[in-house]
Amino acid sequence: MKLDQSEERRSKPHAEGKAPGQLIRQSQKHATRSAIVRAARACFLASGVAKASFDEVAEPAGLSRATVYLHFSSKDQLLLGMLGEDWDARCALFALLQANAISPDAFALWLREVVARYQARRGSIGLYALALAQIPDLSDCIVAQRDRLIATLGARFPAFAITATTPMEKQVDVHLMIVQIEHVCLMGVRGYTQDAVEAGIALVSRRLADYVAAG
């Protein structure tokens, strides 16, 4: 029998083996980390990573320097925290694309929304280049996050589904489609004219429709 939503919520702590107190502490920890990341993002964008101090991050978050260190031991870890939030947001955007959105117009509508979200977070894009320069193994994280995006689309469109038995050529083809989506989104924050962005959206939308139709 399917539980209603209230019953489902009540059953979750027991199903996951976690007491209410543990869930509250986890929620508080997550809220604190999010507050630190928000403060660090504003601080890094305003002053630069090199000049920003943990005291400057702690003050707007309403926390002590020691609390910031408790959650993030270095500026590199703070950068990873910011990128993690950005990756989660991007994955959520990909999840907005419904399985019945298979026409070029439907893909174009979705891409315009994603481009708009990228533009709203324009200042954070530069953090990627900075993080790549400072964190040697970040490229592995980026590959893992791209795999998340592929899995999100693969759950909706068989053309994007990758398994252990998927031929390498097909895997590369899927990754190249993701790169095209990412590139047209970045066009919106890298000085391209609106006409150029719209042309990119139209082109990639047609390719996506053909790609999904081909399976």
Side-chain angles (χ1 to χ4, degrees), residues 44-185:
F44 286 3
L45 292 175
S47 306
V49 177
K51 293 182 179 179
S53 70
F54 268 52
D55 287 327
E56 291 173 316
V57 172
E59 185 176 353
L63 301 168
S64 68
R65 175 181 175 143
T67 300
V68 176
Y69 269 115
L70 181 65
H71 290 272
F72 299 96
S73 60
S74 66
K75 291 181 183 179
D76 284 356
Q77 289 299 310
L78 278 169
L79 276 171
L80 284 174
M82 292 176 212
L83 294 181
E85 284 197 347
D86 290 343
W87 285 327
D88 287 345
R90 183 164 49 168
C91 197
L93 285 174
F94 273 59
L96 292 176
L97 190 57
Q98 299 300 310
N100 60 356
I102 58 175
S103 69
D105 287 345
F107 282 118
L109 187 65
W110 171 71
L111 275 172
R112 288 190 190 97
E113 175 64 20
V114 179
V115 168
R117 301 284 186 94
Y118 268 63
Q119 290 172 329
R121 299 175 72 93
R122 185 189 305 269
S124 298
I125 300 299
L127 292 175
Y128 280 92
L130 181 60
L132 276 169
Q134 293 192 192
I135 306 173
D137 59 350
L138 185 62
S139 57
D140 293 337
C141 296
I142 292 174
V143 170
Q145 294 307 318
R146 187 164 290 162
D147 287 342
R148 282 180 66 193
L149 299 183
I150 291 171
T152 299
L153 290 182
R156 291 160 175 78
F157 307 104
F160 282 96
I162 290 179
T163 68
T165 59
T166 301
M168 181 56 64
E169 185 174 325
K170 172 63 176 177
Q171 294 184 41
V172 172
D173 194 29
V174 170
H175 276 267
L176 289 175
M177 277 304 309
I178 295 295
V179 169
Q180 289 183 61
I181 294 171
E182 291 176 330
H183 182 73
V184 76
C185 293

